[in-house]
Amino acid sequence: VNTIKELNQLDVSEVDLGEADLSGATLQRVKFHRVTARGLHAAASEWIDVQLEHTHLVGADLRASRWHGARIALTDLSEADLGAARLDATSLTAVVLNGVRLHGALIEEGTVIRPSEMPFLEARGADLRNLRASRVRFERLFLLGATLDGAELREADLSKCTMREASLLGADLTSAKLVQADLTRIDARGATFAGADLRGAGLHGADLRLAVPTGADGGAAHLREARMAGADVAASFVDLAQRDVG
């Protein structure tokens, strides 16, 4: 295994880094193009103004890594571990995030996650427990079966995201935008939706027991078969569903 501690202003193209060791390394203004780095060891690494395109980071160990000003496009991060990572002013465009682990990570405002020309950005089964991503915009993420327990998503924009069968136990979605989001069969027990915009959202079969919807805007929210134990919660969500779309 090759250990690298610093890379600066390099173009790295069409190489196989194998299981190279970048643990604790600092990478600045490095461009990766068509690089294979499956199983890369890069815990506690720092990525500053880097560009990654058509790169394979499947199963990479990126725990506690720091990303600032990075541009990541058409890159496969499936099963990568970004637990406790920090991303700011970073863009992820048309990436694959199936099974990615972002538990306890911090995604700061100014970071953009978008599918570009693809219908959705794949993030099936992603582990987003205790993720902090307030005021971040997630464009058309496909989060089927993802785990977002305890996630802090205050004022985040999750409009048109698909979150079918996702777990949001105790998640904080205060003032979040969930316009036309697919929340079918989510488990959102104990989650907070105060001030959230749920217009056009689909909540068929959702478990909202002990959820807090107070003051949410849920005009035309679809609540068929939603489970809502507790009179106050049930009344609040039903009232939202009966409002007109503004």
Side-chain angles (χ1 to χ4, degrees), residues 122-156:
E122 294 275 353
R124 298 169 184 258
D127 181 357
L128 309 178
R129 290 172 296 159
N130 300 312
L131 171 71
R132 292 170 292 160
S134 295
R135 294 181 295 279
V136 172
R137 183 179 181 187
F138 299 90
E139 294 186 23
R140 303 197 307 278
L141 260 65
F142 192 80
L143 289 160
L144 176 69
T147 304
L148 296 97
D149 297 348
E152 184 179 306
L153 298 163
R154 300 170 68 90
E155 299 181 51

PDB file of all heavy atoms in Angstrom, residues 122-156:
ATOM      1  N   GLU A 122     -29.056   8.808  -7.523  1.00  0.00           N
ATOM      2  CA  GLU A 122     -29.255   7.569  -6.777  1.00  0.00           C
ATOM      3  C   GLU A 122     -28.558   7.610  -5.419  1.00  0.00           C
ATOM      4  O   GLU A 122     -27.354   7.827  -5.332  1.00  0.00           O
ATOM      5  CB  GLU A 122     -28.726   6.383  -7.587  1.00  0.00           C
ATOM      6  CG  GLU A 122     -29.500   6.107  -8.862  1.00  0.00           C
ATOM      7  CD  GLU A 122     -30.725   5.234  -8.603  1.00  0.00           C
ATOM      8  OE1 GLU A 122     -30.875   4.747  -7.479  1.00  0.00           O
ATOM      9  OE2 GLU A 122     -31.508   5.043  -9.548  1.00  0.00           O
ATOM     10  N   ALA A 123     -29.355   7.370  -4.358  1.00  0.00           N
ATOM     11  CA  ALA A 123     -28.806   7.283  -3.004  1.00  0.00           C
ATOM     12  C   ALA A 123     -29.589   6.228  -2.218  1.00  0.00           C
ATOM     13  O   ALA A 123     -29.954   6.417  -1.066  1.00  0.00           O
ATOM     14  CB  ALA A 123     -28.854   8.634  -2.309  1.00  0.00           C
ATOM     15  N   ARG A 124     -29.854   5.104  -2.868  1.00  0.00           N
ATOM     16  CA  ARG A 124     -30.623   4.030  -2.236  1.00  0.00           C
ATOM     17  C   ARG A 124     -29.892   3.504  -0.996  1.00  0.00           C
ATOM     18  O   ARG A 124     -28.689   3.252  -1.038  1.00  0.00           O
ATOM     19  CB  ARG A 124     -30.810   2.864  -3.212  1.00  0.00           C
ATOM     20  CG  ARG A 124     -31.583   3.206  -4.477  1.00  0.00           C
ATOM     21  CD  ARG A 124     -31.475   2.067  -5.474  1.00  0.00           C
ATOM     22  NE  ARG A 124     -32.109   2.373  -6.736  1.00  0.00           N
ATOM     23  CZ  ARG A 124     -33.301   1.921  -7.106  1.00  0.00           C
ATOM     24  NH1 ARG A 124     -33.994   1.150  -6.268  1.00  0.00           N
ATOM     25  NH2 ARG A 124     -33.812   2.227  -8.275  1.00  0.00           N
ATOM     26  N   GLY A 125     -30.660   3.334   0.061  1.00  0.00           N
ATOM     27  CA  GLY A 125     -30.099   2.720   1.255  1.00  0.00           C
ATOM     28  C   GLY A 125     -28.997   3.513   1.929  1.00  0.00           C
ATOM     29  O   GLY A 125     -28.228   2.968   2.722  1.00  0.00           O
ATOM     30  N   ALA A 126     -28.900   4.801   1.647  1.00  0.00           N
ATOM     31  CA  ALA A 126     -27.849   5.624   2.248  1.00  0.00           C
ATOM     32  C   ALA A 126     -28.034   5.725   3.754  1.00  0.00           C
ATOM     33  O   ALA A 126     -29.156   5.764   4.260  1.00  0.00           O
ATOM     34  CB  ALA A 126     -27.857   7.020   1.625  1.00  0.00           C
ATOM     35  N   ASP A 127     -26.920   5.758   4.471  1.00  0.00           N
ATOM     36  CA  ASP A 127     -26.941   5.897   5.926  1.00  0.00           C
ATOM     37  C   ASP A 127     -26.660   7.356   6.268  1.00  0.00           C
ATOM     38  O   ASP A 127     -25.516   7.806   6.231  1.00  0.00           O
ATOM     39  CB  ASP A 127     -25.881   4.981   6.549  1.00  0.00           C
ATOM     40  CG  ASP A 127     -25.868   5.063   8.080  1.00  0.00           C
ATOM     41  OD1 ASP A 127     -26.629   5.872   8.650  1.00  0.00           O
ATOM     42  OD2 ASP A 127     -25.085   4.311   8.703  1.00  0.00           O
ATOM     43  N   LEU A 128     -27.720   8.099   6.592  1.00  0.00           N
ATOM     44  CA  LEU A 128     -27.609   9.526   6.879  1.00  0.00           C
ATOM     45  C   LEU A 128     -28.003   9.820   8.328  1.00  0.00           C
ATOM     46  O   LEU A 128     -28.451  10.917   8.651  1.00  0.00           O
ATOM     47  CB  LEU A 128     -28.504  10.324   5.917  1.00  0.00           C
ATOM     48  CG  LEU A 128     -28.335  10.022   4.422  1.00  0.00           C
ATOM     49  CD1 LEU A 128     -29.318  10.844   3.610  1.00  0.00           C
ATOM     50  CD2 LEU A 128     -26.921  10.283   3.960  1.00  0.00           C
ATOM     51  N   ARG A 129     -27.778   8.857   9.199  1.00  0.00           N
ATOM     52  CA  ARG A 129     -28.118   9.060  10.609  1.00  0.00           C
ATOM     53  C   ARG A 129     -27.342  10.246  11.190  1.00  0.00           C
ATOM     54  O   ARG A 129     -26.138  10.375  10.977  1.00  0.00           O
ATOM     55  CB  ARG A 129     -27.789   7.807  11.423  1.00  0.00           C
ATOM     56  CG  ARG A 129     -28.699   6.612  11.150  1.00  0.00           C
ATOM     57  CD  ARG A 129     -28.156   5.383  11.850  1.00  0.00           C
ATOM     58  NE  ARG A 129     -26.849   5.008  11.317  1.00  0.00           N
ATOM     59  CZ  ARG A 129     -25.964   4.249  11.968  1.00  0.00           C
ATOM     60  NH1 ARG A 129     -26.231   3.816  13.179  1.00  0.00           N
ATOM     61  NH2 ARG A 129     -24.801   3.952  11.392  1.00  0.00           N
ATOM     62  N   ASN A 130     -28.081  11.093  11.895  1.00  0.00           N
ATOM     63  CA  ASN A 130     -27.477  12.254  12.569  1.00  0.00           C
ATOM     64  C   ASN A 130     -26.732  13.183  11.619  1.00  0.00           C
ATOM     65  O   ASN A 130     -25.862  13.949  12.046  1.00  0.00           O
ATOM     66  CB  ASN A 130     -26.543  11.793  13.699  1.00  0.00           C
ATOM     67  CG  ASN A 130     -27.287  10.986  14.750  1.00  0.00           C
ATOM     68  OD1 ASN A 130     -28.352  11.384  15.215  1.00  0.00           O
ATOM     69  ND2 ASN A 130     -26.742   9.834  15.118  1.00  0.00           N
ATOM     70  N   LEU A 131     -27.071  13.117  10.345  1.00  0.00           N
ATOM     71  CA  LEU A 131     -26.513  14.065   9.377  1.00  0.00           C
ATOM     72  C   LEU A 131     -26.975  15.472   9.731  1.00  0.00           C
ATOM     73  O   LEU A 131     -28.126  15.697  10.091  1.00  0.00           O
ATOM     74  CB  LEU A 131     -26.996  13.708   7.973  1.00  0.00           C
ATOM     75  CG  LEU A 131     -26.676  14.710   6.859  1.00  0.00           C
ATOM     76  CD1 LEU A 131     -25.179  14.687   6.556  1.00  0.00           C
ATOM     77  CD2 LEU A 131     -27.475  14.385   5.595  1.00  0.00           C
ATOM     78  N   ARG A 132     -26.088  16.449   9.616  1.00  0.00           N
ATOM     79  CA  ARG A 132     -26.441  17.844   9.804  1.00  0.00           C
ATOM     80  C   ARG A 132     -26.348  18.538   8.450  1.00  0.00           C
ATOM     81  O   ARG A 132     -25.258  18.655   7.883  1.00  0.00           O
ATOM     82  CB  ARG A 132     -25.506  18.499  10.828  1.00  0.00           C
ATOM     83  CG  ARG A 132     -25.687  17.974  12.258  1.00  0.00           C
ATOM     84  CD  ARG A 132     -24.585  18.459  13.160  1.00  0.00           C
ATOM     85  NE  ARG A 132     -23.303  17.853  12.798  1.00  0.00           N
ATOM     86  CZ  ARG A 132     -22.117  18.345  13.145  1.00  0.00           C
ATOM     87  NH1 ARG A 132     -22.032  19.483  13.824  1.00  0.00           N
ATOM     88  NH2 ARG A 132     -21.012  17.727  12.793  1.00  0.00           N
ATOM     89  N   ALA A 133     -27.481  18.947   7.933  1.00  0.00           N
ATOM     90  CA  ALA A 133     -27.516  19.525   6.590  1.00  0.00           C
ATOM     91  C   ALA A 133     -28.583  20.610   6.502  1.00  0.00           C
ATOM     92  O   ALA A 133     -29.380  20.650   5.566  1.00  0.00           O
ATOM     93  CB  ALA A 133     -27.763  18.438   5.550  1.00  0.00           C
ATOM     94  N   SER A 134     -28.612  21.479   7.477  1.00  0.00           N
ATOM     95  CA  SER A 134     -29.602  22.568   7.481  1.00  0.00           C
ATOM     96  C   SER A 134     -29.343  23.534   6.322  1.00  0.00           C
ATOM     97  O   SER A 134     -28.194  23.839   5.993  1.00  0.00           O
ATOM     98  CB  SER A 134     -29.539  23.325   8.814  1.00  0.00           C
ATOM     99  OG  SER A 134     -29.937  22.483   9.877  1.00  0.00           O
ATOM    100  N   ARG A 135     -30.442  23.948   5.682  1.00  0.00           N
ATOM    101  CA  ARG A 135     -30.422  24.936   4.589  1.00  0.00           C
ATOM    102  C   ARG A 135     -29.670  24.442   3.348  1.00  0.00           C
ATOM    103  O   ARG A 135     -29.263  25.242   2.514  1.00  0.00           O
ATOM    104  CB  ARG A 135     -29.842  26.269   5.066  1.00  0.00           C
ATOM    105  CG  ARG A 135     -30.709  26.966   6.112  1.00  0.00           C
ATOM    106  CD  ARG A 135     -30.125  28.290   6.551  1.00  0.00           C
ATOM    107  NE  ARG A 135     -28.849  28.097   7.238  1.00  0.00           N
ATOM    108  CZ  ARG A 135     -28.752  27.742   8.517  1.00  0.00           C
ATOM    109  NH1 ARG A 135     -29.833  27.538   9.237  1.00  0.00           N
ATOM    110  NH2 ARG A 135     -27.569  27.594   9.083  1.00  0.00           N
ATOM    111  N   VAL A 136     -29.481  23.148   3.216  1.00  0.00           N
ATOM    112  CA  VAL A 136     -28.829  22.585   2.031  1.00  0.00           C
ATOM    113  C   VAL A 136     -29.902  22.170   1.030  1.00  0.00           C
ATOM    114  O   VAL A 136     -30.978  21.703   1.412  1.00  0.00           O
ATOM    115  CB  VAL A 136     -27.957  21.366   2.414  1.00  0.00           C
ATOM    116  CG1 VAL A 136     -27.419  20.658   1.173  1.00  0.00           C
ATOM    117  CG2 VAL A 136     -26.802  21.820   3.306  1.00  0.00           C
ATOM    118  N   ARG A 137     -29.618  22.340  -0.238  1.00  0.00           N
ATOM    119  CA  ARG A 137     -30.569  21.956  -1.279  1.00  0.00           C
ATOM    120  C   ARG A 137     -30.183  20.599  -1.866  1.00  0.00           C
ATOM    121  O   ARG A 137     -29.068  20.421  -2.363  1.00  0.00           O
ATOM    122  CB  ARG A 137     -30.606  23.000  -2.398  1.00  0.00           C
ATOM    123  CG  ARG A 137     -31.645  22.670  -3.467  1.00  0.00           C
ATOM    124  CD  ARG A 137     -31.691  23.716  -4.555  1.00  0.00           C
ATOM    125  NE  ARG A 137     -32.697  23.410  -5.541  1.00  0.00           N
ATOM    126  CZ  ARG A 137     -32.879  24.085  -6.673  1.00  0.00           C
ATOM    127  NH1 ARG A 137     -32.112  25.133  -6.922  1.00  0.00           N
ATOM    128  NH2 ARG A 137     -33.810  23.742  -7.522  1.00  0.00           N
ATOM    129  N   PHE A 138     -31.107  19.655  -1.768  1.00  0.00           N
ATOM    130  CA  PHE A 138     -30.927  18.329  -2.348  1.00  0.00           C
ATOM    131  C   PHE A 138     -31.860  18.225  -3.548  1.00  0.00           C
ATOM    132  O   PHE A 138     -33.075  18.243  -3.391  1.00  0.00           O
ATOM    133  CB  PHE A 138     -31.283  17.247  -1.332  1.00  0.00           C
ATOM    134  CG  PHE A 138     -30.433  17.256  -0.084  1.00  0.00           C
ATOM    135  CD1 PHE A 138     -30.809  18.007   1.019  1.00  0.00           C
ATOM    136  CD2 PHE A 138     -29.270  16.517  -0.017  1.00  0.00           C
ATOM    137  CE1 PHE A 138     -30.037  18.008   2.177  1.00  0.00           C
ATOM    138  CE2 PHE A 138     -28.494  16.509   1.136  1.00  0.00           C
ATOM    139  CZ  PHE A 138     -28.874  17.263   2.225  1.00  0.00           C
ATOM    140  N   GLU A 139     -31.320  18.103  -4.721  1.00  0.00           N
ATOM    141  CA  GLU A 139     -32.158  18.087  -5.921  1.00  0.00           C
ATOM    142  C   GLU A 139     -32.431  16.659  -6.381  1.00  0.00           C
ATOM    143  O   GLU A 139     -31.525  15.938  -6.761  1.00  0.00           O
ATOM    144  CB  GLU A 139     -31.486  18.879  -7.058  1.00  0.00           C
ATOM    145  CG  GLU A 139     -31.349  20.365  -6.798  1.00  0.00           C
ATOM    146  CD  GLU A 139     -30.819  21.103  -8.017  1.00  0.00           C
ATOM    147  OE1 GLU A 139     -30.969  20.599  -9.147  1.00  0.00           O
ATOM    148  OE2 GLU A 139     -30.254  22.190  -7.834  1.00  0.00           O
ATOM    149  N   ARG A 140     -33.691  16.255  -6.300  1.00  0.00           N
ATOM    150  CA  ARG A 140     -34.193  14.998  -6.848  1.00  0.00           C
ATOM    151  C   ARG A 140     -33.347  13.785  -6.415  1.00  0.00           C
ATOM    152  O   ARG A 140     -32.953  12.970  -7.241  1.00  0.00           O
ATOM    153  CB  ARG A 140     -34.295  15.087  -8.367  1.00  0.00           C
ATOM    154  CG  ARG A 140     -35.165  16.225  -8.865  1.00  0.00           C
ATOM    155  CD  ARG A 140     -35.602  16.076 -10.299  1.00  0.00           C
ATOM    156  NE  ARG A 140     -34.528  15.860 -11.246  1.00  0.00           N
ATOM    157  CZ  ARG A 140     -33.776  16.814 -11.753  1.00  0.00           C
ATOM    158  NH1 ARG A 140     -33.970  18.088 -11.391  1.00  0.00           N
ATOM    159  NH2 ARG A 140     -32.823  16.550 -12.630  1.00  0.00           N
ATOM    160  N   LEU A 141     -33.108  13.668  -5.121  1.00  0.00           N
ATOM    161  CA  LEU A 141     -32.420  12.493  -4.608  1.00  0.00           C
ATOM    162  C   LEU A 141     -33.387  11.313  -4.544  1.00  0.00           C
ATOM    163  O   LEU A 141     -34.546  11.468  -4.181  1.00  0.00           O
ATOM    164  CB  LEU A 141     -31.866  12.762  -3.201  1.00  0.00           C
ATOM    165  CG  LEU A 141     -30.367  13.096  -3.117  1.00  0.00           C
ATOM    166  CD1 LEU A 141     -30.091  14.406  -3.825  1.00  0.00           C
ATOM    167  CD2 LEU A 141     -29.916  13.145  -1.674  1.00  0.00           C
ATOM    168  N   PHE A 142     -32.882  10.127  -4.870  1.00  0.00           N
ATOM    169  CA  PHE A 142     -33.666   8.905  -4.784  1.00  0.00           C
ATOM    170  C   PHE A 142     -33.176   8.156  -3.555  1.00  0.00           C
ATOM    171  O   PHE A 142     -32.193   7.415  -3.596  1.00  0.00           O
ATOM    172  CB  PHE A 142     -33.486   8.061  -6.049  1.00  0.00           C
ATOM    173  CG  PHE A 142     -34.480   6.939  -6.164  1.00  0.00           C
ATOM    174  CD1 PHE A 142     -35.767   7.181  -6.625  1.00  0.00           C
ATOM    175  CD2 PHE A 142     -34.142   5.641  -5.809  1.00  0.00           C
ATOM    176  CE1 PHE A 142     -36.694   6.150  -6.737  1.00  0.00           C
ATOM    177  CE2 PHE A 142     -35.057   4.610  -5.915  1.00  0.00           C
ATOM    178  CZ  PHE A 142     -36.338   4.860  -6.386  1.00  0.00           C
ATOM    179  N   LEU A 143     -33.852   8.397  -2.428  1.00  0.00           N
ATOM    180  CA  LEU A 143     -33.415   7.914  -1.120  1.00  0.00           C
ATOM    181  C   LEU A 143     -34.247   6.724  -0.658  1.00  0.00           C
ATOM    182  O   LEU A 143     -34.571   6.597   0.519  1.00  0.00           O
ATOM    183  CB  LEU A 143     -33.510   9.053  -0.099  1.00  0.00           C
ATOM    184  CG  LEU A 143     -32.479  10.182  -0.243  1.00  0.00           C
ATOM    185  CD1 LEU A 143     -32.952  11.445   0.456  1.00  0.00           C
ATOM    186  CD2 LEU A 143     -31.135   9.734   0.327  1.00  0.00           C
ATOM    187  N   LEU A 144     -34.570   5.833  -1.564  1.00  0.00           N
ATOM    188  CA  LEU A 144     -35.366   4.663  -1.225  1.00  0.00           C
ATOM    189  C   LEU A 144     -34.707   3.879  -0.090  1.00  0.00           C
ATOM    190  O   LEU A 144     -33.547   3.472  -0.187  1.00  0.00           O
ATOM    191  CB  LEU A 144     -35.531   3.765  -2.449  1.00  0.00           C
ATOM    192  CG  LEU A 144     -36.275   2.448  -2.227  1.00  0.00           C
ATOM    193  CD1 LEU A 144     -37.747   2.723  -1.941  1.00  0.00           C
ATOM    194  CD2 LEU A 144     -36.133   1.533  -3.430  1.00  0.00           C
ATOM    195  N   GLY A 145     -35.445   3.680   1.004  1.00  0.00           N
ATOM    196  CA  GLY A 145     -34.940   2.870   2.097  1.00  0.00           C
ATOM    197  C   GLY A 145     -33.776   3.474   2.859  1.00  0.00           C
ATOM    198  O   GLY A 145     -33.089   2.772   3.613  1.00  0.00           O
ATOM    199  N   ALA A 146     -33.524   4.766   2.687  1.00  0.00           N
ATOM    200  CA  ALA A 146     -32.407   5.414   3.391  1.00  0.00           C
ATOM    201  C   ALA A 146     -32.728   5.579   4.875  1.00  0.00           C
ATOM    202  O   ALA A 146     -33.886   5.563   5.285  1.00  0.00           O
ATOM    203  CB  ALA A 146     -32.108   6.771   2.759  1.00  0.00           C
ATOM    204  N   THR A 147     -31.698   5.742   5.674  1.00  0.00           N
ATOM    205  CA  THR A 147     -31.861   5.956   7.110  1.00  0.00           C
ATOM    206  C   THR A 147     -31.421   7.365   7.459  1.00  0.00           C
ATOM    207  O   THR A 147     -30.261   7.719   7.273  1.00  0.00           O
ATOM    208  CB  THR A 147     -31.023   4.942   7.916  1.00  0.00           C
ATOM    209  OG1 THR A 147     -31.388   3.609   7.522  1.00  0.00           O
ATOM    210  CG2 THR A 147     -31.272   5.102   9.405  1.00  0.00           C
ATOM    211  N   LEU A 148     -32.368   8.166   7.957  1.00  0.00           N
ATOM    212  CA  LEU A 148     -32.090   9.554   8.327  1.00  0.00           C
ATOM    213  C   LEU A 148     -32.447   9.808   9.783  1.00  0.00           C
ATOM    214  O   LEU A 148     -32.766  10.926  10.176  1.00  0.00           O
ATOM    215  CB  LEU A 148     -32.858  10.518   7.421  1.00  0.00           C
ATOM    216  CG  LEU A 148     -32.509  10.509   5.936  1.00  0.00           C
ATOM    217  CD1 LEU A 148     -33.490   9.646   5.162  1.00  0.00           C
ATOM    218  CD2 LEU A 148     -32.502  11.911   5.353  1.00  0.00           C
ATOM    219  N   ASP A 149     -32.375   8.783  10.595  1.00  0.00           N
ATOM    220  CA  ASP A 149     -32.741   8.926  12.004  1.00  0.00           C
ATOM    221  C   ASP A 149     -31.892  10.014  12.663  1.00  0.00           C
ATOM    222  O   ASP A 149     -30.669  10.022  12.549  1.00  0.00           O
ATOM    223  CB  ASP A 149     -32.525   7.607  12.752  1.00  0.00           C
ATOM    224  CG  ASP A 149     -33.400   6.481  12.224  1.00  0.00           C
ATOM    225  OD1 ASP A 149     -34.334   6.766  11.446  1.00  0.00           O
ATOM    226  OD2 ASP A 149     -33.147   5.317  12.587  1.00  0.00           O
ATOM    227  N   GLY A 150     -32.568  10.933  13.352  1.00  0.00           N
ATOM    228  CA  GLY A 150     -31.861  11.985  14.064  1.00  0.00           C
ATOM    229  C   GLY A 150     -31.215  13.035  13.193  1.00  0.00           C
ATOM    230  O   GLY A 150     -30.476  13.889  13.691  1.00  0.00           O
ATOM    231  N   ALA A 151     -31.494  13.009  11.883  1.00  0.00           N
ATOM    232  CA  ALA A 151     -30.884  13.983  10.981  1.00  0.00           C
ATOM    233  C   ALA A 151     -31.414  15.388  11.242  1.00  0.00           C
ATOM    234  O   ALA A 151     -32.590  15.576  11.559  1.00  0.00           O
ATOM    235  CB  ALA A 151     -31.142  13.606   9.525  1.00  0.00           C
ATOM    236  N   GLU A 152     -30.550  16.369  11.124  1.00  0.00           N
ATOM    237  CA  GLU A 152     -30.932  17.773  11.279  1.00  0.00           C
ATOM    238  C   GLU A 152     -31.033  18.392   9.894  1.00  0.00           C
ATOM    239  O   GLU A 152     -30.020  18.654   9.239  1.00  0.00           O
ATOM    240  CB  GLU A 152     -29.904  18.518  12.117  1.00  0.00           C
ATOM    241  CG  GLU A 152     -30.278  19.966  12.408  1.00  0.00           C
ATOM    242  CD  GLU A 152     -29.242  20.670  13.265  1.00  0.00           C
ATOM    243  OE1 GLU A 152     -28.928  20.145  14.351  1.00  0.00           O
ATOM    244  OE2 GLU A 152     -28.741  21.720  12.830  1.00  0.00           O
ATOM    245  N   LEU A 153     -32.268  18.608   9.431  1.00  0.00           N
ATOM    246  CA  LEU A 153     -32.532  19.088   8.076  1.00  0.00           C
ATOM    247  C   LEU A 153     -33.387  20.358   8.118  1.00  0.00           C
ATOM    248  O   LEU A 153     -34.231  20.577   7.266  1.00  0.00           O
ATOM    249  CB  LEU A 153     -33.228  17.990   7.269  1.00  0.00           C
ATOM    250  CG  LEU A 153     -32.418  16.699   7.089  1.00  0.00           C
ATOM    251  CD1 LEU A 153     -33.309  15.550   6.650  1.00  0.00           C
ATOM    252  CD2 LEU A 153     -31.292  16.922   6.073  1.00  0.00           C
ATOM    253  N   ARG A 154     -33.113  21.197   9.076  1.00  0.00           N
ATOM    254  CA  ARG A 154     -33.866  22.440   9.233  1.00  0.00           C
ATOM    255  C   ARG A 154     -33.668  23.331   8.002  1.00  0.00           C
ATOM    256  O   ARG A 154     -32.536  23.591   7.590  1.00  0.00           O
ATOM    257  CB  ARG A 154     -33.408  23.179  10.482  1.00  0.00           C
ATOM    258  CG  ARG A 154     -33.608  22.375  11.780  1.00  0.00           C
ATOM    259  CD  ARG A 154     -32.933  23.045  12.953  1.00  0.00           C
ATOM    260  NE  ARG A 154     -33.560  24.301  13.313  1.00  0.00           N
ATOM    261  CZ  ARG A 154     -34.544  24.424  14.189  1.00  0.00           C
ATOM    262  NH1 ARG A 154     -35.014  23.352  14.811  1.00  0.00           N
ATOM    263  NH2 ARG A 154     -35.065  25.603  14.467  1.00  0.00           N
ATOM    264  N   GLU A 155     -34.786  23.738   7.390  1.00  0.00           N
ATOM    265  CA  GLU A 155     -34.783  24.624   6.214  1.00  0.00           C
ATOM    266  C   GLU A 155     -34.099  23.997   5.007  1.00  0.00           C
ATOM    267  O   GLU A 155     -33.777  24.699   4.037  1.00  0.00           O
ATOM    268  CB  GLU A 155     -34.130  25.976   6.539  1.00  0.00           C
ATOM    269  CG  GLU A 155     -34.841  26.746   7.640  1.00  0.00           C
ATOM    270  CD  GLU A 155     -34.192  28.084   7.915  1.00  0.00           C
ATOM    271  OE1 GLU A 155     -33.964  28.847   6.959  1.00  0.00           O
ATOM    272  OE2 GLU A 155     -33.899  28.357   9.095  1.00  0.00           O
ATOM    273  N   ALA A 156     -33.872  22.702   5.028  1.00  0.00           N
ATOM    274  CA  ALA A 156     -33.307  22.031   3.852  1.00  0.00           C
ATOM    275  C   ALA A 156     -34.375  21.932   2.769  1.00  0.00           C
ATOM    276  O   ALA A 156     -35.573  21.919   3.047  1.00  0.00           O
ATOM    277  CB  ALA A 156     -32.799  20.641   4.224  1.00  0.00           C
TER     278      ALA A 156
END
